[in-house]
Amino acid sequence: MIFERIICLVIGYVFGLFQTAYFYGKAHGIDIREHGSGNSGTTNALRVLGTKAGLIVLAGDCLKCIFAVLLTRLLFTTSHPENIYLLALYTAAGVILGHNYPFYMHFKGGKGIAATAGLVLSFHPYFIPMGVIVFFSTFFLTHYVSLGSLLVYAGFMIEMVICGELGVFTGMGRTQLIELYILTALLTILAYYKHSANIVRLVKGEERKTYLTKKNKVEV
């Protein structure tokens, strides 16, 4: 299984290298990393390039994780049905690492939240309502993308353990379940680390709000 895990990480990392915000920005004559927060992700694209750009980047970064997970399922569902959820999570981890740390951009990418949305949408149907409700209710109530993202990760971690303990992931052994929890915890820690500055600003009440209008657009 070690070989399969490595293959899944590599598959994910390759998919994660498709930096939607960076390529969209280049197509419009700018390097997204030189504007706004300097982050190559959905929120910065929304603020710098507008709502349309933000939605396109969100879709692109979600889809790259969805497609990577689908490829993993095609490759391994027949040969490793009992571990397909674990392999899917390794693939998603690779996507998030590729998105956050693309080698050709000097390892300066995004924060992996849109890619994580793709993970939530493709991992198991039980996770979709939690992700959608938690993020959008938080966003529309507070307009803090970072807070919504962090709460989704916390919810994902909790739901992963609950589903695992209830036997939702059919056929998985105890050792594999523990590994699933550990990998989810590591992804959660990474997300919180990438948002450490946002967390400080949230605590101080200085976090910038985001709107689906020109209200939040910055000059380029």
Side-chain angles (χ1 to χ4, degrees):
M1 274 290 291
I2 293 179
F3 177 73
E4 287 81 359
R5 287 171 173 80
I6 294 171
I7 290 296
C8 289
L9 281 170
V10 171
I11 289 172
Y13 188 83
V14 170
F15 273 85
L17 292 176
F18 185 82
Q19 295 285 319
T20 314
Y22 176 76
F23 293 132
Y24 187 93
K26 282 295 186 179
H28 290 78
I30 71 165
D31 186 337
I32 192 71
R33 299 170 300 166
E34 297 175 357
H35 302 277
S37 67
N39 183 57
S40 181
T42 299
T43 304
N44 200 38
L46 175 66
R47 290 172 177 168
V48 174
L49 295 167
T51 303
K52 178 183 176 182
L55 293 175
I56 290 173
V57 171
L58 173 63
D61 287 345
C62 278
L63 287 172
K64 68 188 181 187
C65 190
I66 291 172
F67 289 150
V69 170
L70 285 176
L71 178 58
T72 295
R73 293 186 186 278
L74 287 173
L75 291 174
F76 296 111
T77 295
T78 301
S79 58
H80 298 283
E82 74 286 356
N83 287 315
I84 194 61
Y85 288 107
L86 182 59
L87 294 176
L89 190 60
Y90 269 100
T91 300
V95 175
I96 292 167
L97 290 173
H99 177 80
N100 291 359
Y101 306 106
F103 72 89
Y104 65 94
M105 293 168 60
H106 305 291
F107 301 99
K108 184 182 179 182
K111 296 180 180 179
I113 298 303
T116 300
L119 165 60
V120 171
L121 292 172
S122 61
F123 190 76
H124 192 285
Y126 285 178
F127 288 79
I128 298 174
M130 178 281 298
V132 171
I133 292 171
V134 170
F135 179 80
F136 285 104
S137 61
T138 303
F139 174 73
F140 286 117
L141 285 172
T142 68
H143 293 285
Y144 291 135
V145 173
S146 57
L147 180 59
S149 303
L150 292 169
L151 289 178
V152 167
Y153 249 111
F156 185 68
M157 178 76 240
I158 293 169
E159 191 168 11
M160 183 70 78
V161 175
I162 291 174
C163 287
E165 294 305 301
L166 291 177
V168 171
F169 310 129
T170 307
M172 287 192 72
R174 191 67 194 169
T175 302
Q176 286 71 34
L177 276 175
I178 296 300
E179 186 176 353
L180 192 75
Y181 302 157
I182 292 172
L183 185 54
T184 304
L186 290 174
L187 290 175
T188 302
I189 291 169
L190 176 62
Y192 276 69
Y193 166 73
K194 295 290 286 185
H195 284 81
S196 55
N198 303 85
I199 293 171
V200 171
R201 290 194 295 269
L202 283 167
V203 171
K204 292 181 176 180
E206 299 173 353
E207 178 71 329
R208 180 178 176 179
K209 294 187 176 183
T210 300
Y211 301 87
L212 298 177
T213 66
K214 293 181 179 179
K215 187 175 181 178
N216 56 213
K217 192 171 181 182
V218 299
E219 295 297 325
V220 298

